[in-house]
Amino acid sequence: MKRRLAREIVVQSLYQLEMNEEATAEDAVTMIMDEVNGENEIEANAADVSRIDEHVRGLTQHVYEKKAAIDDMLQDYLTGWQVDRLSRVDRQILRLACFELVFRDDVPPKAVINEAIELAKHFGTDESGKFVNGVLGRLLQALDQLKPKA
């Protein structure tokens, strides 16, 4: 549950960064964390939110720093699409999942993909879950080749 909450906040923070290019990753996370603690639309426990704060900030910063490399990787697995033509929501979900798959070893790949699909269903359109699943499925097949490059 805490990892899912962290991923939701990271996706929202990455979205905020894309909407406000002058913001820093720290600013974006702070804004989203304040919203979560205030309005609490996602019904998060305040203690859970405070426990994941550092993780969310670090993960958002790392994804943001590696955005260009991640987009280059994703482009190879987007059949008939360009990264910059994706919906903003799908793009952030794919960036986070790609980062977790390629640059981290602490989460099983299938868990990353399942979480990304759930995020896409929650935040995206009716077709987002299927789309994200397809892209990440293709990326997963080449994961052994991508990891050494990263």
Side-chain angles (χ1 to χ4, degrees):
M1 176 59 181
K2 291 181 187 97
R3 279 192 188 248
R4 174 165 292 170
L5 176 60
R7 286 184 180 103
E8 287 181 13
I9 295 170
V10 170
V11 167
Q12 291 174 348
S13 298
L14 292 170
Y15 185 93
Q16 180 62 33
L17 279 166
E18 190 161 305
M19 295 301 292
N20 182 0
E21 293 178 7
E22 294 179 20
T24 65
E26 184 72 21
D27 294 340
V29 173
T30 297
M31 189 182 108
I32 300 300
M33 293 294 250
D34 288 348
E35 285 180 17
V36 168
N37 283 320
E39 297 171 15
N40 207 355
E41 291 176 4
I42 58 177
E43 299 176 12
N45 179 315
D48 287 343
V49 173
S50 68
R51 272 187 234 126
I52 63 170
D53 185 87
E54 188 175 319
H55 175 71
V56 167
R57 290 178 192 282
L59 190 52
T60 302
Q61 183 65 42
H62 291 308
V63 173
Y64 187 66
E65 288 170 355
K66 297 205 179 292
K67 182 173 68 169
I70 291 167
D71 287 356
D72 287 344
M73 282 182 227
L74 285 173
Q75 189 57 60
D76 294 336
Y77 304 97
L78 292 169
T79 307
W81 286 90
Q82 297 292 317
V83 172
D84 61 342
R85 300 286 296 173
L86 298 175
S87 78
R88 285 188 172 118
V89 170
D90 290 350
R91 187 168 41 242
Q92 306 323 316
I93 293 167
L94 286 169
R95 283 175 176 160
L96 173 59
C98 182
F99 177 83
E100 287 190 298
L101 288 169
V102 176
F103 296 98
R104 295 187 65 174
D105 293 321
D106 62 332
V107 184
K110 289 187 180 186
V112 171
I113 293 172
N114 287 338
E115 287 291 320
I117 293 166
E118 291 304 313
L119 287 169
K121 288 177 182 177
H122 178 72
F123 289 117
T125 66
D126 291 340
E127 297 300 314
S128 291
K130 292 176 193 171
F131 177 74
V132 165
N133 185 32
V135 173
L136 295 178
R138 287 188 294 278
L139 189 143
L140 182 62
Q141 292 175 345
L143 195 56
D144 290 338
Q145 290 84 32
L146 291 173
K147 279 194 177 259
K149 293 178 187 176

